[in-house]
Amino acid sequence: MRPFIRPRPVDDPAVRLLLLHHAGSSAMAYYPLVGLLPDDWDVLLLDLPGRGSRHGERLFRDMTRVVDAVLADVSPQAEGRYALFGHSMGAIVAGEVARRLAGQGRPPLWVGVSGRSAPATPVAGPAELTRLDDTSLLTTLVGLGGLPARIGEIPEFREQFLRVVRADLEAVASYRPAAGRPPLPCPVTVFGGIDDPFAPLSSLPAWQEETVEPLRQCLFPGGHFYFAGDAMAEFARQLRAELRAELATEAARAGR
């Protein structure tokens, strides 16, 4: 099973953008975004093990194992100009994988993190969610806006989703950033909803500790899934602007 969905392969891309999804989700969460990104970007949507194109693989309940698996998937694609973006759980994975690749001398051009407090200021949300019963968990997640309200009406789908999201939430709750680790040598932009309970505005500036470059923030009306529905267009506009700025900076440094 292939780890990536590649909706429109580009042979000689301006940049390769790897998108990492949130807990309980799959690569398809980003499919609506693809058509809003430049045609010369090679966009890769990653499925974590246990869902989507990799539904037959074992789920991981520990963040270290998740990061190890994603690093193995991403490493062959981490050539030339590439960037990582992740939302919520995906933000943790994007940051940690970027750090591993930087340690190999292959840092990304840019990292975008979304819907997640900085590693230095974690919030208790994921750990609290793991303690909820199934009905309460589904109600809470639907209330965040990332799930259809009728998700619990098909028993088979409900059970599969709960199995995946509980494993992911346990992995998020297990996350402990290593003390004294070096910051990323590339720019980081943090994206967030101004009313996100899992990534309060007060927690976002601490992402500065994760990069040697000045941190940039892109804030939007809404909560944890601030980019859902019609809001996707404005989110895509900001994402394009952030990554294009880094492409322009890189070109200027190279004298192109």
Side-chain angles (χ1 to χ4, degrees):
M1 296 184 181
R2 296 181 179 179
F4 293 102
I5 294 176
R6 201 173 206 157
R8 48 167 206 211
V10 180
D11 291 334
D12 185 22
V15 67
R16 177 167 292 126
L17 176 60
L18 298 105
L19 300 174
L20 310 177
H21 60 74
H22 56 277
S25 189
S26 71
M28 293 304 293
Y30 287 118
Y31 212 87
L33 177 62
V34 175
L36 301 173
L37 298 176
D39 291 339
D40 61 350
W41 291 12
D42 189 19
V43 183
L44 278 68
L45 319 180
L46 178 72
D47 270 322
L48 289 177
R51 82 285 322 276
S53 63
R54 307 172 77 179
H55 62 274
E57 297 182 27
R58 191 177 72 167
L59 291 161
F60 294 124
R61 299 174 182 273
D62 177 82
M63 185 54 69
T64 299
R65 299 194 70 181
V66 173
V67 171
D68 288 344
V70 175
L71 178 64
D73 295 333
V74 168
S75 190
Q77 309 296 335
E79 302 293 342
R81 293 181 297 276
Y82 77 95
L84 300 168
F85 175 88
H87 177 68
S88 198
M89 176 185 183
I92 298 174
V93 179
E96 293 302 320
V97 168
R99 184 170 276 102
R100 298 270 198 96
L101 290 167
Q104 299 173 7
R106 299 188 293 157
L109 177 71
W110 171 85
V111 176
V113 293
S114 167
R116 170 71 190 183
S117 60
T121 58
V123 294
E128 292 173 352
L129 289 175
T130 62
R131 294 192 285 269
L132 296 177
D133 61 64
D134 289 350
T135 299
S136 298
L137 178 59
L138 282 175
T139 299
T140 301
L141 295 177
V142 168
L144 288 173
L147 293 173
R150 301 175 67 180
I151 189 172
E153 294 183 6
I154 302 175
E156 295 83 1
F157 185 76
R158 178 180 186 271
E159 294 309 310
Q160 169 65 7
F161 171 75
L162 285 168
R163 185 177 71 87
V164 171
V165 77
R166 285 196 179 280
D168 287 351
L169 290 172
E170 287 181 28
V172 174
S174 77
Y175 176 56
R176 300 291 184 275
R181 60 199 184 139
L184 287 166
C186 64
V188 172
T189 302
V190 58
F191 296 74
I194 59 176
D195 296 315
D196 186 349
F198 292 144
L201 295 184
S202 61
S203 74
L204 302 185
W207 276 104
Q208 180 62 77
E209 298 179 24
E210 303 300 306
T211 174
V212 298
E213 301 287 343
L215 180 72
R216 295 198 298 268
Q217 296 185 51
C218 294
L219 303 178
F220 303 82
H224 194 58
F225 292 99
Y226 61 87
F227 51 78
D230 292 342
M232 179 69 78
E234 176 58 20
F235 164 65
R237 187 188 72 79
Q238 294 276 12
L239 177 59
R240 292 193 305 267
E242 289 297 304
L243 189 42
R244 278 174 169 160
E246 294 314 315
L247 288 168
T249 299
E250 189 223 27
R253 287 173 178 166
R256 297 198 299 269

